[in-house]
């Protein structure tokens, strides 16, 4: 075999190796490269909870059952009580024993660590399914199907769409709410989650940062969005109602109150109130279904 032949075969082998490496790398990382709408509306509704809010989660799931979306739900549970509670409802769970003080309150370090695990749960589901994830807090009730809006999101250029946490109907959203969001498994989305977790780790021992309004994961996600180039949108303020826009209270003027006298939103997020009072506010407004 002459030198030219050896040289030729050497080049062929090198080309083959480079192609093989590139192909393997693409297969290993396909979930972070692109999101392609294949015409099927595939998504998972993710919840995240401890046993202490079992009733609240049950109430949320009950409303999802009414619109036939219970089979889309997957709940990430942080203790055996929560896992048993959700399994009794015939809902898929993924148990993550985090070894944290799950009775901790907002602003405490253990609570902050718990919210860090929420970002891990969302990321995990995006990777496993390679499809859209709808994250919902447990203090939410569903009145109508979210599928038409998921379909629009699937066909859009957005990486993430959030419920807006404004207390009014100003479309200039000041704060993106981490309690309800649509996410695609794109590189931008994973970059956002990664950066948010970095911010949370950085501020883990900073009590002031932990106790800021909208702190923990919501604060970190909003900071990450400011830093990175991510296509972010907001869900319709009227259809994706929060506690300030929906409930009659001192923080909401009469003009806003009038909106929901004759209009039913798609979801209602029972926020803008301490956690200990949420159940009673649901009951007072005929929104407790269990």
């Amino acid at each position: 075999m002459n030198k030219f032949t050896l040289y030729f075969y050497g080049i062929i082998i090198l080309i083959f190796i480079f192609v093989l490496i590139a192909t393997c790398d693409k297969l290993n990382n396909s979930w972070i490269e692109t999101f392609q709408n294949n015409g099927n509306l595939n998504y998972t509704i993710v919840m995240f909870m401890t046993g202490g809010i079992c009733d609240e989660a049950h109430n949320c799931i009950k409303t999802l059952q009414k619109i036939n979306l219970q089979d889309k739900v997957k709940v990430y549970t942080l203790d055996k009580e929560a896992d048993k509670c959700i399994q009794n409802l015939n809902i898929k769970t993924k148990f993550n024993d985090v070894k944290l003080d799950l009775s901790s309150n907002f602003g405490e370090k253990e609570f902050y660590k718990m919210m860090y695990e929420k970002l891990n749960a969302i990321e995990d589901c995006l990777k496993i399914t390679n499809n859209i994830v709808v994250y919902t807090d447990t203090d939410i009730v569903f009145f109508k199907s979210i599928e038409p809006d998921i379909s629009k999101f699937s066909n859009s250029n957005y990486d993430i769409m959030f419920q807006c946490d404004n207390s009014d109907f100003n479309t200039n959203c000041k704060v993106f709410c981490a309690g309800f969001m649509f996410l695609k498994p794109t590189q931008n989305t994973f970059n956002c989650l990664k950066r948010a977790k970095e911010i949370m780790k950085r501020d883990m021992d900073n009590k002031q940062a932990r106790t800021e309004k909208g702190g923990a994961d919501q604060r970190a996600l909003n900071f990450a969005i400011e830093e990175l180039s991510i296509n972010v949108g907001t869900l319709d303020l009227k259809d994706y109602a929060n506690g300030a826009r929906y409930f009659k209270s001192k923080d909401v003027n009469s003009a806003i109150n009038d909106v929901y006298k004759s209009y039913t939103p798609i979801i209602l997020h029972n926020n803008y109130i301490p956690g200990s009072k949420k159940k009673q506010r649901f009951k007072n407004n005929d929104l407790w279904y269990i």
Side-chain angles (χ1 to χ4, degrees):
M1 189 177 291
N2 58 39
K3 289 184 178 179
F4 176 79
T5 303
L6 288 171
Y7 179 71
F8 175 77
Y9 280 114
I11 292 175
I12 295 298
I13 291 169
L14 284 172
I15 291 173
F16 176 77
I17 291 171
F18 282 128
V19 170
L20 184 63
I21 291 171
T23 301
C24 291
D25 184 64
K26 185 174 182 179
L27 288 172
N28 289 334
N29 295 285
S30 60
W31 54 268
I32 64 172
E33 288 184 349
T34 59
F35 173 80
Q36 295 181 344
N37 180 5
N38 60 11
N40 298 319
L41 193 60
N42 296 318
Y43 65 94
T44 302
I45 300 173
V46 167
M47 299 172 71
F48 174 82
M49 61 172 287
T50 65
I53 52 174
C54 179
D55 283 353
E56 188 175 274
H58 188 179
N59 192 61
C60 179
I61 290 168
K62 193 76 173 179
T63 65
L64 285 163
Q65 289 172 335
K66 288 184 176 184
I67 54 175
N68 296 315
L69 293 183
Q70 68 274 11
D71 292 339
K72 293 289 188 178
V73 181
K74 182 175 183 179
V75 182
Y76 283 74
T77 57
L78 296 186
D79 57 23
K80 291 181 180 179
E81 181 186 353
D83 204 57
K84 182 179 179 181
C85 164
I86 301 304
Q87 286 190 21
N88 286 340
L89 301 176
N90 295 316
I91 300 293
K92 296 185 291 290
T93 68
K94 184 168 183 178
F95 178 49
N96 180 20
D97 190 0
V98 293
K99 306 297 184 185
L100 294 172
D101 179 4
L102 302 181
S103 64
S104 56
N105 297 312
F106 176 80
E108 296 176 0
K109 190 172 181 178
E110 293 290 284
F111 179 89
Y112 195 83
K113 288 180 179 178
M114 190 163 48
M115 292 300 101
Y116 182 91
E117 293 301 323
K118 170 182 159 181
L119 298 182
N120 280 336
I122 294 169
E123 184 178 49
D124 179 75
C125 193
L126 285 166
K127 289 180 179 179
I128 289 172
T129 64
N130 195 29
N131 262 307
I132 289 170
V133 164
V134 176
Y135 175 80
T136 177
D137 276 351
T138 56
D139 61 340
I140 286 177
V141 291
F142 291 74
F143 299 112
K144 303 174 186 176
S145 177
I146 54 176
E147 288 197 342
D149 284 337
I150 297 173
S151 181
K152 292 176 186 177
F153 172 64
S154 178
N155 290 298
S156 74
N157 292 323
Y158 292 124
D159 297 299
I160 309 174
M161 289 192 76
F162 291 87
Q163 179 184 43
C164 180
D165 215 25
N166 286 1
S167 60
D168 55 27
F169 286 92
N170 186 339
T171 55
N172 179 21
C173 190
K174 298 175 183 178
V175 179
F176 299 117
C177 180
F180 191 87
M181 49 188 158
F182 298 168
L183 307 96
K184 290 176 185 171
T186 62
Q187 182 67 67
N188 283 344
T189 299
F190 287 105
N191 287 345
C192 182
L193 291 170
K194 179 183 177 182
R195 182 58 187 141
K197 290 196 293 183
E198 289 171 350
I199 292 168
M200 289 193 75
K201 279 188 175 180
R202 180 195 70 193
D203 296 339
M204 191 77 70
D205 295 313
N206 184 339
K207 185 176 181 180
Q208 181 178 350
R210 294 200 310 265
T211 54
E212 280 185 10
K213 184 179 180 181
D217 57 304
Q218 180 163 299
R219 173 180 177 274
L221 280 168
N222 277 269
F223 280 167
I225 290 166
E226 288 180 8
E227 294 180 15
L228 304 175
S229 178
I230 300 169
N231 298 321
V232 175
T234 53
L235 296 160
D236 185 86
L237 279 80
K238 188 177 177 182
D239 278 329
Y240 292 84
N242 66 3
R245 295 194 295 271
Y246 187 89
F247 291 107
K248 186 176 182 179
S249 70
K250 294 179 182 179
D251 298 324
V252 184
N253 62 43
S254 59
I256 291 177
N257 290 336
D258 291 342
V259 169
Y260 295 109
K261 286 182 178 179
S262 58
Y263 186 82
T264 302
I266 293 173
I267 71 159
L268 165 61
H269 189 176
N270 190 10
N271 60 359
Y272 275 79
I273 192 173
S276 59
K277 297 181 179 180
K278 290 183 179 185
K279 183 176 179 178
Q280 191 58 51
R281 184 159 74 169
F282 271 142
K283 287 184 173 182
N284 291 345
N285 290 273
D286 298 322
L287 297 169
W288 194 251
Y289 303 102
I290 60 172

